[in-house]
Amino acid sequence: MSDAKLYSVKMRASSEGRHISGAERIVPAKAAPATAAALVARALAHPKGAPDFVNVKLERPGEIVRVKALEVSTIEARSPEEGLDAARRLLEESGIPRVREAMELFASVHGLRGAMLVDADTLERLEPDKDRGVRVTCMDDADSASKGVSERKNHYGEAIVLATKVQNAPGIVAELCVSDDPDYVTGYVASRRFGYRRITNMKERGCADGGRIFFYRGRREDVEKTIAFLERQCVLVEDVPAVGAADPEGRFSSLRADNEEKKRSGLWRVPRTVDSPAGPFAVCGGGKLMVLSSNDYLDLANHPAVKAAAAAAAEKWGAGTGASRLVTGTQRPHVELEERLARFKGCEAALVFSTVYMANTGLVAALARKGDAVISDELNHASIIDGCRLSGAEVAIYRHGDLDEMERLLAVRRECRRRIVVSDAVFSMDGDILDLPKFVEICRRHDAFSVIDEAHATGVVGKTGRGLAEHFGCGHPDITVGTLSKALGSSGGFVASSRLVVDYLVNSARSFIFSTSPGAASVAAASAALDILEAEPWRVEALRGNVRFFLAALVKSGIEPETDSAIVPIPVGDENAAQSAAEQLSRRGFLIPAIRYPTVARGKAILRASLMCSHGRDDLERAARAIAEALGKEQEERR
């Protein structure tokens, strides 16, 4: 389109003489009315407040200069302090000698309607009108010149256009800018040396402070020419990158910043690809690793009978169920497994969920609502914590294992409609177990629901692996949550309780109602694993024997961990030290993960070993020595 057919549409809005908003677009004549309306709409919806005066001006621009957009890059800052530090460094890179004083001067720019123009070396102000500053006008994105504008302000594109015009003005060597929009915390430093450097965080959200400084280096008699270019020369900027193109961080900059912080603090995680089935050993990257990280405690995931049952069920029932059980119906393998689980746990009924995570979140959120109370151990699994958050009930947290405090929290909530007390049976990071007899007795005395999660207890605790009630020889809690994906070698979760509770969950647990049910293959595999567990209780005893042997081997190597289960936590503390030790162990052929925040508290990182009944004693002894050596070497390196 010919530049002669373009019009400049300018908008200025104020309230009681205070500037609120301003914008300009250079558009074809046919787009001018709609553009003017869009700019007025923007002024009326500005976060600084409603204006009492809006001026719209339409005029033909003079000679138009076309320039290429500055090269764009982004600096991610986690805080305003970090962003301002980045700005200082960029000004130094731009050749500004008195950066500290320049930043102090910048703090006085807030409220100035235009930009401050200063000598790059002396910081002397050069604008003729110090109250007004220099107002950069007559510019637009060349691409937008054929489209008009929407109501929504494009901070990103408009800033690049302005910065590009400024850097093409004679004598300008750098610009420092922060938006005065309270909802926009991004700023930038621009220079011909490095282009447009966007800084993602330069002020607190909600702060209306903002402004810009232009740094000039040249003859004083030429300042007038520079100001004339900035205020009156019409410029169209070509090849302005869109957010998500040249600046892929755009909307995702905060995610990238979070990722970088995790890497710096030793919390970064990368999934490991293995090239072998589940078992005590894995093939990874061509090497063989002894797996001391699996929850397949009884080595049933790869058992021939379990795999055969899964294959037969898939052949008969298909790979998936198609929908939730309330939509497509419940397949026979699901009913059979639930009957088996109820008998195994000594309950009237059981209900299978797609995962134990969904079982816990669905159960707690269904039982507890506004007006109810949930009492929860501080070290409960994340799925229990999330269920508490979803419930809308009052949540009270007691110190880990402190059942006396648990009782006090119950006692002061007598007026709540329904009270639920929930705890892990075996705590997944510490490996210790709940005092179930006392837990159940307190709950019954206070007329509260008792709920335990036996994900790490089923197949591990108790003479035949039936869990805490068998271990202690006591009564069952009101509700037991369990998993099919650990000792039973399959996938899925379940709740075992009375028929009343199970029927309630079928009609109230959103994670059951609105989720596709697990496929028949995993359900049949779990049933086959239960058959093996009941027929071969020696697996449970072999597992406990391996735990005792491994603990003794660790003690002999100078490490004294404690556990009541198949989980052996080895304290390290520092996240980076734990990760370094885990990497050293991996290089030596042992897969033992470093468990770090948020799974455990900050500064409380551990190496978490979990044992299987099929681990060999010689291998366990080698692993114990390797752990001690890795931790010792890490300590030496850190010293």
Side-chain angles (χ1 to χ4, degrees):
M1 174 177 290
S2 170
D3 289 348
K5 297 180 180 180
L6 297 177
Y7 278 83
S8 167
V9 184
K10 298 179 182 179
M11 178 273 291
R12 294 289 180 269
S14 62
S15 177
E16 298 180 350
R18 178 177 58 90
H19 175 75
I20 288 180
S21 178
E24 177 182 8
R25 282 293 176 261
I26 299 172
V27 298
K30 63 181 180 181
T35 301
L39 292 180
V40 170
R42 178 195 295 187
L44 295 174
H46 199 276
K48 284 188 175 181
D52 55 27
F53 177 82
V54 179
N55 176 272
V56 177
K57 183 179 181 181
L58 180 70
E59 63 181 353
R60 293 282 291 273
E63 178 191 4
I64 295 176
V65 173
R66 291 176 177 262
V67 298
K68 293 289 186 181
L70 295 173
E71 183 178 341
V72 177
S73 58
T74 295
I75 296 175
E76 294 147 347
R78 292 167 296 169
S79 66
E81 294 76 19
E82 190 172 307
L84 292 171
D85 283 341
R88 293 183 187 96
R89 293 193 300 272
L90 290 172
L91 289 178
E92 290 173 353
E93 188 177 339
S94 302
I96 307 301
R98 300 167 64 179
V99 170
R100 183 181 61 80
E101 295 169 67
M103 297 302 293
E104 292 174 355
L105 183 63
F106 182 66
S108 69
V109 175
H110 309 316
L112 188 67
R113 290 186 62 183
M116 187 180 289
L117 180 67
V118 303
D119 185 288
D121 299 308
T122 67
L123 301 183
E124 178 187 354
R125 292 187 65 175
L126 304 177
E127 325 95 281
D129 186 342
K130 302 296 189 295
D131 294 327
R132 177 182 181 273
V134 177
R135 298 183 190 175
V136 185
T137 62
C138 300
M139 61 192 166
D140 203 355
D141 180 346
D143 185 53
S144 296
S146 63
K147 299 177 182 178
V149 67
S150 67
E151 294 181 17
R152 187 167 182 262
K153 182 177 178 68
N154 178 5
H155 290 277
Y156 177 75
E158 292 178 17
I160 294 172
V161 168
L162 188 146
T164 300
K165 177 174 181 178
V166 170
Q167 293 309 307
N168 278 274
I172 299 294
V173 295
E175 176 191 358
L176 171 62
C177 173
V178 175
S179 170
D180 61 357
D181 190 325
D183 295 327
Y184 195 68
V185 301
T186 297
Y188 66 85
V189 175
S191 168
R192 279 181 249 181
R193 292 193 182 188
F194 50 71
Y196 175 93
R197 291 283 179 90
R198 180 172 176 267
I199 304 172
T200 59
N201 192 346
M202 292 189 72
K203 68 177 185 179
E204 298 292 343
R205 189 167 298 278
C207 175
D209 291 343
R212 51 175 37 95
I213 295 181
F214 302 151
F215 296 90
Y216 171 86
R217 182 173 285 132
R219 300 189 309 170
R220 293 300 174 89
E221 53 266 36
D222 292 334
V223 169
E224 186 175 339
K225 294 179 183 178
T226 298
I227 295 175
F229 183 92
L230 293 170
E231 295 191 336
R232 296 189 292 276
Q233 175 63 58
C234 187
V235 173
L236 291 179
V237 180
E238 298 178 334
D239 302 325
V240 177
V243 175
D247 178 34
E249 298 86 4
R251 292 162 293 148
F252 304 102
S253 61
S254 62
L255 304 185
R256 188 179 296 274
D258 286 351
N259 286 348
E260 293 303 319
E261 170 58 22
K262 285 183 172 65
K263 291 175 182 177
R264 282 191 291 269
S265 58
L267 302 178
W268 187 244
R269 294 160 172 85
V270 178
R272 183 189 300 266
T273 300
V274 296
D275 302 307
S276 60
F281 289 90
V283 176
C284 181
K288 185 177 180 182
L289 294 173
M290 179 183 178
V291 178
L292 281 161
S293 57
S294 174
N295 297 323
D296 182 19
Y297 299 116
L298 304 182
D299 198 11
L300 294 179
N302 203 40
H303 193 285
V306 173
K307 292 193 293 185
E315 182 68 28
K316 179 176 180 179
W317 297 97
T321 57
S324 76
R325 288 164 61 177
L326 298 181
V327 174
T328 56
T330 293
Q331 294 177 344
R332 178 57 56 185
H334 295 76
V335 175
E336 293 173 353
L337 175 61
E338 287 169 348
E339 292 172 349
R340 293 288 311 280
L341 289 168
R343 290 196 300 272
F344 185 76
K345 287 296 184 181
C347 300
E348 288 181 351
L351 185 65
V352 168
F353 289 73
S354 295
T355 66
V356 69
Y357 202 105
M358 296 172 72
N360 270 325
T361 56
L363 168 69
V364 178
L367 284 179
R369 300 174 184 173
K370 188 175 181 180
D372 299 333
V374 182
I375 317 299
S376 177
D377 189 292
E378 66 175 339
L379 294 188
N380 277 341
H381 188 266
S383 56
I384 296 174
I385 295 170
D386 288 351
C388 292
R389 291 170 175 168
L390 289 169
S391 70
E394 178 188 356
V395 179
I397 310 298
Y398 61 91
R399 288 185 298 274
H400 175 52
D402 189 343
L403 300 189
D404 292 331
E405 184 185 12
M406 180 195 91
E407 183 170 17
R408 288 193 294 274
L409 294 175
L410 262 177
V412 298
R413 287 166 176 79
R414 287 193 180 90
E415 301 306 316
C416 291
R417 183 191 68 128
R418 186 183 292 165
R419 292 171 298 162
I420 298 95
V421 188
V422 58
S423 175
D424 277 349
V426 171
F427 290 87
S428 58
M429 294 300 115
D430 289 2
D432 57 331
I433 65 175
L434 170 69
D435 183 349
L436 183 64
K438 184 174 181 180
F439 178 84
V440 170
E441 187 275 327
I442 291 172
C443 290
R444 289 179 179 168
R445 181 152 39 85
H446 288 270
D447 196 26
F449 286 91
S450 56
V451 180
I452 66 170
D453 176 3
E454 290 204 310
H456 292 276
T458 300
V460 176
V461 178
K463 185 176 181 180
T464 63
R466 281 173 164 78
L468 262 63
E470 182 182 50
H471 173 76
F472 285 107
C474 67
H476 291 275
D478 295 320
I479 302 170
T480 298
V481 179
T483 184
L484 312 177
S485 60
K486 296 182 176 23
L488 296 182
S490 183
S491 63
F494 67 90
V495 173
S497 186
S498 65
R499 171 53 60 187
L500 172 66
V501 169
V502 168
D503 289 345
Y504 176 83
L505 293 176
V506 168
N507 290 275
S508 303
R510 294 172 64 83
S511 59
F512 175 83
I513 297 169
F514 298 106
S515 291
T516 298
S517 55
S522 61
V523 171
S527 287
L530 271 176
D531 288 339
I532 297 169
L533 174 55
E534 292 182 325
E536 301 177 359
W538 61 262
R539 290 177 179 270
V540 181
E541 180 52 40
L543 174 62
R544 282 199 287 269
N546 275 349
V547 172
R548 289 191 295 269
F549 180 87
F550 186 57
L551 291 174
L554 286 170
V555 170
K556 191 176 3 178
S557 298
I559 299 172
E560 298 186 5
E562 296 180 0
T563 187
D564 298 313
S565 64
I567 299 164
V568 181
I570 301 162
V572 180
D574 179 78
E575 285 81 7
N576 283 299
Q579 182 64 14
S580 176
E583 291 170 357
Q584 291 179 45
L585 287 164
S586 177
R587 290 192 291 270
R588 295 187 59 177
F590 300 97
L591 182 53
I592 304 173
I595 307 298
R596 296 152 289 160
Y597 177 83
T599 310
V600 294
R602 286 191 184 276
K604 300 289 185 181
I606 62 172
L607 294 177
R608 179 186 182 272
S610 51
L611 274 60
M612 301 170 66
C613 68
S614 50
H615 279 137
R617 298 292 173 89
D618 289 345
D619 292 325
L620 290 173
E621 193 166 33
R622 287 192 304 109
R625 288 197 302 269
I627 291 169
E629 290 167 7
L631 292 178
K633 182 177 181 181
E634 173 60 28
Q635 289 171 358
E636 288 177 7
E637 290 177 351
R638 294 179 73 81
R639 284 198 294 267

